[in-house]
Amino acid sequence: MSKHLQAIRGMHDILPERIALWHCVEDTARQVLAGYGYAEIRTPLVEVTDLFKRSIGEVTDIVEKEMYSFDDRNGDSLSLRPEGTASCVRAAIEHGLLVQPQRLWYRGPMFRYERPQRGRYRQFHQIGVEAFGLAGPDIDLELILLTARLWRLLGLSGFRLEINSLGDADERLAYREQLIAYLASHADQLDADSLKRLHTNPLRVLDSKHPQTQQIVAGAPSLMDHLGEETRTHFERICRGLDDAGVAYRVNPRLVRGLDYYNRTVFEWITDDLGAQGTVCAGGRYDGLVEQLGGRSTPAVGFAMGLERLIELLELAGHTSEPPLDAYLVAVGEPAQAAAPLLAERLRDAVPALRLLTHSGGGSFKSQFKRADKSGARYALVLGETELERGVIGVKHLREEGEQRELGFDELAAFLRMPG
RNA sequence: GUGGACGUAGCUCAGUCGGUAGAGCGCAGGAUUGUGAUUCCUGUGGUCGUGGGUUCGAUCCCCAUCGUCCACCCCA
């Protein structure tokens, strides 16, 4: 690029030619979420840094090295949000929303200082969904079914669903001890990263990609065996529900998530079509987080999906946008040009849904028709000297065969209301 | 943060074993002074990412830097 001014690394402009795909995902998601009774919430992009430290976890990569943090003029440390759950929980506590069950969703940009890669950006967009105050497995199931419906409506297939249960806090603690003991006995065979995590975040070693570490992990004690009766039943009921709903899934006992606040259910929707960043949607239960952030103990489940990743999949699937315009108004000659704006206004009054672009800048019939064609409009509306004299508007089909016709205003309005 | 590939026209790319660059598409105009998309003709196109070094001379070689892409890591 020869320009000296350019967008910040890993942060991308979304250009008009691609915006239709964003609308498609956003509108479909909004429609699905409304259908399940979820309400949208919007929170600031910036929060006190401490909020993320206390929720995501001090020793996670996100908090340790990926946050955009800065001091404001008061000397308070603030951060661009790296994810949405923490803000959502903070807002819910702050406004007393948690006195009753709440189903909330949000969307917007998130920021993480990572090395950009396919499907991974420094500013990226998520839609997140959170359900508060509901402890039963039915709500975990509802969230997963909701996502499955969304994929269906978007025409996306080929995802696989992986689920796991991390157990309650005490179950996990007991397992953690055993896992550390096991891993420590094989310490000499672990890769450096896993060795570092052995005592800080041993569960993360389970989903290491390192081949040799994976071999060790294969022989590790299973988290599933450490689940208590209640946790196990909770998990089984989700699996049963998925079976009954006909949603295929795979229990992956090595699925853990990178954020500290998860307990019990975790799940991921994964695709093989995006290279290394295959997780399209992920989430889980976080029953302890609300209390941890100063609220009353409140069970909660949620997930987030990456919009850039979904949109790239839609592009791969060959999604194209609809022709955006119904009509393009061609006006040649001074009197016609003077009359065109008023004609356009009257048409918009008469046909509120009409998508009409009026030519601007004058020019010959030829050049205006070229514009009309490129605009993608279905019809050209023609206003020239002759039409003006006769009090009619020419209507020409740009996308199909058909004679150019001359219609009076009322006829034209009727035609544009019910074209074709 | 680590490793690798790559930055040439608005876009996709070619090219110069070092002598300041081409194609296709696009865009503008014309063939048709009231009709687009097809066809034909003409025109428009670039500080060869940026900065420095070597050289008589650098888009090409060297170094740095910024950016893109891929993988690791991590995650949506």
Side-chain angles (χ1 to χ4, degrees):
Chain A
M1 278 184 218
S2 62
K3 288 176 181 158
H4 290 93
L5 246 33
Q6 54 190 254
I8 291 167
R9 178 173 209 193
M11 304 197 183
H12 296 291
D13 301 308
I14 300 164
L15 300 180
E17 62 180 9
R18 192 161 290 158
I19 208 72
L21 287 166
W22 284 80
H23 289 324
C24 174
V25 172
E26 290 165 349
D27 294 349
T28 308
R30 184 162 43 195
Q31 178 192 326
V32 169
L33 287 159
Y36 283 76
Y38 284 74
E40 183 176 359
I41 184 170
R42 299 189 185 186
T43 64
L45 271 57
V46 181
E47 299 272 359
V48 155
T49 301
D50 204 40
L51 172 64
F52 302 118
K53 286 191 180 170
R54 284 168 60 186
S55 56
I56 297 166
E58 294 261 10
V59 297
T60 57
D61 282 15
I62 292 178
V63 167
E64 277 183 341
K65 49 192 191 193
E66 294 177 4
M67 284 213 291
Y68 281 91
S69 299
F70 58 95
D71 291 345
D72 77 355
R73 289 171 189 270
N74 290 329
D76 299 325
S77 178
L78 308 181
S79 295
L80 300 183
R81 61 185 185 193
E83 58 105 43
T85 301
S87 306
C88 187
V89 169
R90 193 226 82 227
I93 295 171
E94 186 172 333
H95 298 98
L97 301 183
L98 301 181
V99 294
Q100 58 183 331
Q102 285 285 348
R103 288 172 163 87
L104 301 174
W105 71 276
Y106 54 82
R107 65 158 167 214
M110 308 294 165
F111 303 86
R112 290 182 201 170
Y113 190 87
E114 296 182 272
R115 190 87 167 250
Q117 194 181 327
R118 183 180 190 185
R120 189 174 75 181
Y121 310 101
R122 290 184 173 181
Q123 174 175 329
F124 61 102
H125 296 77
Q126 289 185 334
I127 288 179
V129 182
E130 320 284 355
F132 297 101
L134 300 162
D138 48 354
I139 191 68
D140 308 39
L141 180 65
E142 174 178 290
L143 289 176
I144 298 175
L145 294 180
L146 184 158
T147 55
R149 179 178 299 275
L150 180 58
W151 312 150
R152 230 179 300 137
L153 286 173
L154 288 172
L156 290 170
S157 55
F159 294 172
R160 63 174 186 277
L161 172 63
E162 297 194 350
I163 63 173
N164 190 24
S165 178
L166 300 179
D168 286 336
D170 48 345
E171 291 161 2
R172 196 148 44 139
L173 203 64
Y175 172 69
R176 192 186 137 109
E177 294 308 314
Q178 285 203 22
L179 182 63
I180 291 177
Y182 170 82
L183 292 176
S185 69
H186 297 273
D188 53 326
Q189 297 166 73
L190 294 176
D191 63 280
D193 282 321
S194 297
L195 205 54
K196 221 182 303 172
R197 285 204 196 90
L198 211 163
H199 290 283
T200 56
N201 205 340
L203 293 208
R204 306 252 40 224
V205 177
L206 291 178
D207 67 354
S208 166
K209 279 185 197 167
H210 199 89
Q212 200 180 329
T213 301
Q214 274 185 347
Q215 280 188 355
I216 307 292
V217 164
S222 170
L223 182 64
M224 278 288 166
D225 298 336
H226 293 73
L227 300 184
E229 185 62 31
E230 209 188 324
T231 306
R232 193 186 308 248
T233 308
H234 185 100
F235 186 63
E236 279 166 3
R237 281 183 58 193
I238 296 168
C239 294
R240 271 272 296 287
L242 290 171
D243 290 334
D244 293 346
V247 174
Y249 63 92
R250 189 170 79 87
V251 175
N252 176 1
R254 303 214 298 260
L255 177 68
V256 298
R257 314 249 43 259
L259 290 67
D260 278 0
Y261 51 63
Y262 287 113
N263 71 312
R264 289 202 176 179
T265 319
V266 291
F267 67 92
E268 263 184 43
W269 288 94
I270 302 164
T271 176
D272 292 324
D273 300 329
L274 290 181
Q277 309 299 322
T279 302
V280 149
C281 170
R285 189 162 270 281
Y286 50 96
D287 292 331
L289 182 60
V290 174
E291 190 173 15
Q292 195 180 315
L293 291 181
R296 222 173 46 188
S297 174
T298 307
V301 218
F303 68 83
M305 52 195 162
L307 298 191
E308 279 83 358
R309 293 180 185 178
L310 286 173
I311 280 156
E312 185 164 351
L313 287 170
L314 285 176
E315 279 185 311
L316 287 174
H319 271 243
T320 49
S321 53
E322 307 282 307
L325 287 177
D326 299 313
Y328 189 104
L329 178 56
V330 164
V332 179
E334 293 249 339
Q337 280 184 60
L342 202 62
L343 170 62
E345 285 305 300
R346 288 176 63 207
L347 281 172
R348 294 187 182 106
D349 286 340
V351 191
L354 182 67
R355 287 171 297 185
L356 168 69
L357 183 64
T358 60
H359 181 85
S360 181
S364 63
F365 277 94
K366 184 189 179 67
S367 61
Q368 294 199 30
F369 269 96
K370 274 191 176 179
R371 293 270 171 219
D373 181 55
K374 270 171 208 142
S375 76
R378 191 168 176 194
Y379 305 108
L381 308 182
V382 187
L383 194 60
E385 220 172 307
T386 321
E387 287 82 1
L388 214 53
E389 270 171 27
R390 302 227 289 267
V392 296
I393 300 104
V395 179
K396 177 169 182 171
H397 291 255
L398 296 175
R399 307 292 144 214
E400 55 205 86
E401 292 300 313
E403 290 280 294
Q404 181 169 328
R405 290 193 287 165
E406 292 191 339
L407 301 177
F409 181 86
D410 293 335
E411 290 173 301
L412 176 61
F415 173 77
L416 290 173
R417 267 192 288 269
M418 302 191 56

